[in-house]
């Protein structure tokens, strides 16, 4: 049983801090919403590491927006809906495609420098996009450039206070109203941070899996704390595995951007054969879920642990100019993109679902908002269209701040004191528990799933529920508890969805079933699963 709070709480016995807006997380969503909110509000930004530690910093490909005369919001919307496999919210996608470029202009005003060609934005094309609409920076370092620009402004903003190395344990709620958060400081002291509005920008859940392109901070914290607080959690069975992560002895699973295929790279099996023509008419530019499963099929057929991505037919000048970060990274391991085929394999990359919000980023817990990967706005459906995530963060971040401007002052104070019987922490190291969880998820809830495997995986995960009966005091304990919470939600939803769609593939139900499953699976703590039809 997952408790309402991870630790015992007595609000009267701990320090209180007051602010207008609490922002939890430091990726593009956290930085952007903090800067927009600070125009007329006091903001407290809480990060569990630093402003430079987030998934955004590792985003290579770029940000999608309608810019060129050949493109249109209608084209962008159609591409997004097709990739989303029938589960996108048309209203949310309409917002994204019409407000995306305006959000990009905000980023530029905040100091982001996108690549130019002949004085115009240099646009590229990625998988499942019908037009060139991807802006990028420094070739393949778009996320790093956005984080650089926004973090510099954030540190200089007098209305933003930054708490690095602080961990949000739980949200404090009463009568379905969010009053703020219980936060643990680096010295172990706990404090109640009260805010007129709280924005979850806590990122994704890539650390659910053994192999991931995500940094070690992506431990599903936002989804788990929102779930404990009573917010709806939607579509968490849909996990996007990036098709091409570096797979080389001694090297981490480093992302080889989709833009490499967008610029003409081929996929080859270990026999050297191109194979995507056997799987999809768009070849290497097929939707990510299709490409990822095709790679796994080729690996299984050839009894290999990788395939190759080959861009050696392009010029050395283009490769080094367009992909300087990837080129230098591979070179560190003795791989030269200009002459070598690069070994790659799929790795967990992005969760399409998350904390359910409306079109202004608000959850069903009043005064609690969610933005970025932690949220489920309805934009991504069952499969995210490449480079839509950065656009989503700024578009819905702007909408969140507009909604917060309308909020009256928060009245009253929550009365909270819990004293649950909890035992000492288990002797088994949390790192061992985390590794076991990741292996279970990779084996039973990865790219290919079945009822038998998912049931077995759920049962193995459920044996770890005793963690919630222990006294927790360390960040590692909280992170594992959050990962376990999200893993149980993900396996439950995947077991219940008896079809294949987008980032969810069932070997025992390999076909898409719109008649029975064109709907969301939504969870709320203390209630049975809710199904919401499209």
């Amino acid at each position: 049983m997952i408790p309402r709070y991870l630790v015992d709480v007595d609000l009267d016995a701990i320090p209180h801090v007051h602010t207008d807006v609490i922002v939890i997380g430091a990726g593009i969503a956290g930085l952007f919403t903090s800067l927009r909110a600070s125009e007329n509000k006091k903001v407290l930004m809480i990060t569990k590491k630093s402003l430079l530690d987030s998934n955004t910093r590792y985003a290579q490909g770029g940000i999608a927006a309608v810019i060129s005369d050949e493109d249109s919001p209608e084209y962008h919307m159609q591409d997004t809906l097709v990739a989303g496999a029938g589960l996108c919210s048309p209203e949310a996608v309409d917002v994204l495609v019409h407000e995306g470029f305006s959000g990009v202009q905000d980023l530029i005003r905040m100091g982001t420098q996108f690549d130019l060609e002949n004085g115009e934005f240099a646009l590229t094309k990625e998988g499942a996009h019908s037009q060139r609409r991807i802006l990028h920076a420094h070739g393949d370092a778009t996320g790093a450039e956005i984080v650089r620009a926004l973090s510099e402004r954030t540190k200089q903003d007098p209305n933003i206070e930054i708490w690095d190395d602080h961990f949000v344990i739980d949200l404090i709620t009463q009568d379905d109203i969010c009053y703020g958060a219980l936060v643990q400081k680096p010295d172990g002291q706990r404090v109640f941070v009260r805010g007129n509005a709280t924005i979850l920008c806590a990122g994704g859940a890539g650390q659910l899996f053994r192999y991931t392109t995500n940094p070690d901070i992506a431990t599903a914290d936002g989804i788990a704390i929102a779930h404990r607080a009573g917010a709806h959690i939607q579509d968490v069975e849909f996990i996007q595995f990036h098709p091409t992560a570096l797979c080389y002895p001694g090297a981490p699973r480093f992302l080889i951007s989709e833009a490499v295929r967008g610029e003409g790279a081929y996929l080859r099996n270990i026999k050297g054969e191109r194979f995507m023509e056997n799987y999809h008419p768009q070849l290497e530019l097929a939707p990510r879920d299709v490409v990822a499963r095709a790679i796994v099929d080729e690996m299984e057929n050839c009894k290999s642990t990788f395939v190759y991505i080959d861009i050696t037919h392009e010029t050395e000048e283009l490769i080094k100019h367009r992909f300087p970060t990837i080129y230098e990274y591979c070179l560190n391991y003795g791989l030269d993109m200009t002459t070598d085929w690069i070994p790659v394999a799929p790795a967990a990359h992005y969760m399409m679902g998350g904390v359910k919000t409306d079109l202004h980023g608000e959850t069903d817990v009043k005064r609690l908002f969610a933005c970025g990967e932690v949220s489920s706005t309805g934009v991504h459906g069952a499969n995210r269209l490449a480079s839509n995530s950065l656009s989503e963060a700024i578009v819905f971040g702007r909408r969140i701040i507009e909604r917060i401007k309308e909020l009256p002052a928060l009245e009253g104070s929550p009365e909270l004191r819990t004293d649950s019987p909890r035992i000492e922490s288990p002797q088994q190291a949390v790192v061992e528990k985390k590794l076991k969880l990741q292996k279970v998820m990779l084996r039973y809830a990865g790219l290919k799933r079945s009822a038998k495997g998912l049931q077995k995986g759920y049962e193995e995960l459920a044996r770890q529920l005793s963690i919630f009966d222990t006294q927790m005091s360390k960040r590692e304990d909280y992170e594992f508890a959050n990962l376990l919470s999200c893993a149980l939600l993900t396996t439950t939803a995947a077991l219940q969805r008896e079809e294949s769609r987008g980032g969810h593939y069932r070997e025992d139900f390999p076909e898409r079933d719109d008649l029975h499953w064109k709907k969301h699976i939504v969870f709320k703590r203390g209630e049975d699963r809710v199904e919401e039809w499209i």
Side-chain angles (χ1 to χ4, degrees):
M1 177 65 181
I2 299 175
R4 169 62 187 89
Y5 292 99
L6 287 186
V7 299
D8 293 329
V9 185
D10 183 354
L11 291 187
D12 293 333
I14 61 176
H16 290 205
V17 173
H18 297 264
T19 189
D20 295 326
V21 180
I22 303 166
V23 175
I24 302 169
I28 184 175
L31 292 165
F32 185 81
T33 54
S34 293
L35 287 166
R36 289 301 299 260
S38 71
E39 294 171 6
N40 56 15
K41 304 282 185 184
K42 290 290 185 181
V43 177
L44 176 57
M45 188 178 190
I46 304 170
T47 79
K48 69 177 183 178
K49 287 191 76 174
S50 75
L51 294 187
L52 299 181
D53 289 288
S54 66
N55 270 348
T56 301
R57 188 161 69 96
Y58 299 93
Q60 298 171 349
I63 182 168
V66 175
I67 297 174
S68 74
D69 292 338
E70 290 77 26
D71 200 3
S72 72
E74 290 71 29
Y75 289 156
H76 191 185
M77 183 166 185
Q78 183 61 25
D79 292 344
T80 301
L81 293 176
V82 170
L87 285 194
C88 297
S89 161
E91 295 80 9
V93 177
D94 188 70
V95 166
L96 178 83
V97 301
H98 283 93
E99 299 180 17
F101 184 54
S102 179
V104 167
Q105 291 174 312
D106 278 351
L107 290 180
I108 294 170
R109 282 192 289 269
M110 292 175 177
T112 304
Q113 298 176 8
F114 292 106
D115 293 339
L116 302 175
E117 289 181 358
N118 302 319
E120 303 289 336
F121 287 117
L123 301 177
T124 191
K125 186 177 180 182
E126 293 184 350
H129 285 273
S130 62
Q131 307 291 328
R132 285 184 171 263
R133 64 169 69 97
I134 314 299
L135 295 95
H136 47 82
H138 306 297
D140 57 356
T142 309
E145 167 61 15
I146 292 172
V147 168
R148 178 205 63 78
L150 299 189
S151 62
E152 286 179 2
R153 286 184 68 104
T154 299
K155 287 184 283 189
Q156 297 168 2
D157 196 312
N159 281 341
I160 301 177
E161 182 178 359
I162 302 167
W163 283 7
D164 283 338
D165 296 311
H166 286 62
F167 196 93
V168 175
I169 302 172
D170 267 310
L171 301 170
I172 302 299
T173 60
Q174 186 169 288
D175 300 325
D176 281 332
I177 299 172
C178 182
Y179 283 82
L182 176 67
V183 180
Q184 185 159 305
K185 291 176 169 285
D187 62 4
Q189 182 189 33
R190 292 168 184 166
V191 59
F192 169 42
V193 181
R194 177 189 167 106
N196 206 48
T198 300
I199 310 175
L200 271 178
C201 305
Q207 291 296 323
L208 284 173
F209 296 90
R210 183 72 181 94
Y211 302 115
T212 177
T213 62
N214 291 191
D216 61 7
I217 57 170
T219 52
D221 303 313
I223 291 172
I225 65 175
H227 178 58
R228 290 195 294 273
H232 282 101
I233 308 299
Q234 174 176 274
D235 290 346
V236 287
E237 68 270 37
F238 296 110
I239 308 288
Q240 188 171 81
F241 286 75
H242 199 286
T244 53
L246 181 64
C247 183
Y248 195 68
R253 282 297 201 271
F254 181 76
L255 181 68
I256 306 297
S257 171
E258 184 140 353
V260 177
R261 282 177 285 131
E263 294 293 346
Y266 304 143
L267 290 172
R268 300 181 183 275
N269 59 28
I270 62 167
K271 299 176 183 178
E273 303 163 338
R274 288 186 67 184
F275 55 84
M276 280 308 301
E277 64 181 9
N278 300 324
Y279 296 93
H280 198 277
Q282 288 182 276
L283 305 179
E284 280 83 1
L285 295 182
R288 285 182 176 178
D289 62 302
V290 175
V291 178
R293 285 196 297 274
I295 289 173
V296 169
D297 284 348
E298 290 297 312
M299 287 161 51
E300 291 175 349
N301 293 338
C302 297
K303 295 181 172 56
S304 65
T305 57
F306 59 87
V307 298
Y308 293 108
I309 188 165
D310 168 23
I311 196 170
T312 58
H313 49 278
E314 298 293 346
T315 66
E316 181 176 339
E317 180 184 8
L318 181 147
I319 294 170
K320 290 182 177 180
H321 173 73
R322 184 66 182 83
F323 306 111
T325 305
I326 301 173
Y327 174 78
E328 291 293 337
Y329 191 91
C330 290
L331 209 59
N332 289 334
Y333 293 93
L335 298 169
D336 185 343
M337 288 178 69
T338 66
T339 58
D340 298 329
W341 298 351
I342 306 301
V344 294
H349 186 58
Y350 193 91
M351 176 175 278
M352 270 69 74
V355 185
K356 184 184 177 185
T357 73
D358 63 14
L359 294 181
H360 288 87
E362 190 163 16
T363 74
D364 54 319
V365 176
K366 297 179 180 63
R367 298 178 183 267
L368 175 63
F369 299 81
C371 187
E373 187 174 354
V374 72
S375 70
S376 180
T377 62
V379 163
H380 304 308
N383 189 41
R384 176 178 68 101
L385 181 66
S387 293
N388 266 357
S389 51
L390 297 181
S391 304
E392 179 195 37
I394 56 175
V395 166
F396 288 89
R398 296 171 71 190
R399 287 176 153 251
I400 286 170
I401 301 309
E402 292 302 314
R403 177 72 182 94
I404 286 174
K405 290 178 181 178
E406 303 170 356
L407 290 178
L410 179 60
E411 297 181 354
S413 298
E415 297 179 3
L416 179 60
R417 180 175 181 176
T418 64
D419 188 12
S420 306
R422 299 177 190 267
I423 61 175
E424 293 295 325
S425 297
Q427 293 183 353
Q428 184 183 13
V430 172
V431 66
E432 295 176 17
K433 290 177 174 289
K434 179 181 175 182
L435 181 58
K436 182 177 180 180
L437 178 149
Q438 292 173 327
K439 289 182 176 179
V440 167
M441 291 297 290
L442 181 64
R443 183 173 183 181
Y444 300 119
L447 266 167
K448 295 184 178 182
R449 304 164 173 175
S450 68
K452 183 179 179 180
L454 288 164
Q455 184 62 45
K456 184 174 177 58
Y458 180 89
E459 290 170 357
E460 291 193 22
L461 293 169
R463 295 190 189 105
Q464 302 284 358
L465 280 168
S466 58
I467 186 73
F468 293 106
D469 299 323
T470 65
Q471 297 177 16
M472 300 185 202
S473 60
K474 299 178 181 178
R475 168 180 152 175
E476 293 79 8
D477 296 330
Y478 307 140
E479 288 182 331
F480 177 74
N482 291 336
L483 280 170
L484 181 58
S485 299
C486 191
L488 289 166
L489 290 172
T490 297
T491 52
T492 299
L495 185 60
Q496 293 174 348
R497 183 175 287 278
E498 295 181 335
E499 65 155 356
S500 291
R501 183 188 299 266
H504 168 73
Y505 182 78
R506 287 280 297 266
E507 292 180 297
D508 46 353
F509 293 96
E511 302 299 325
R512 173 169 155 177
D513 182 359
D514 282 351
L515 179 62
H516 299 101
W517 286 106
K518 195 175 181 181
K519 55 188 173 183
H520 302 288
I521 295 177
V522 185
F523 296 99
K524 181 177 175 66
R525 185 176 179 274
E527 295 182 4
D528 292 334
R529 181 196 81 192
V530 177
E531 295 178 2
E532 297 191 355
W533 288 86
I534 302 300

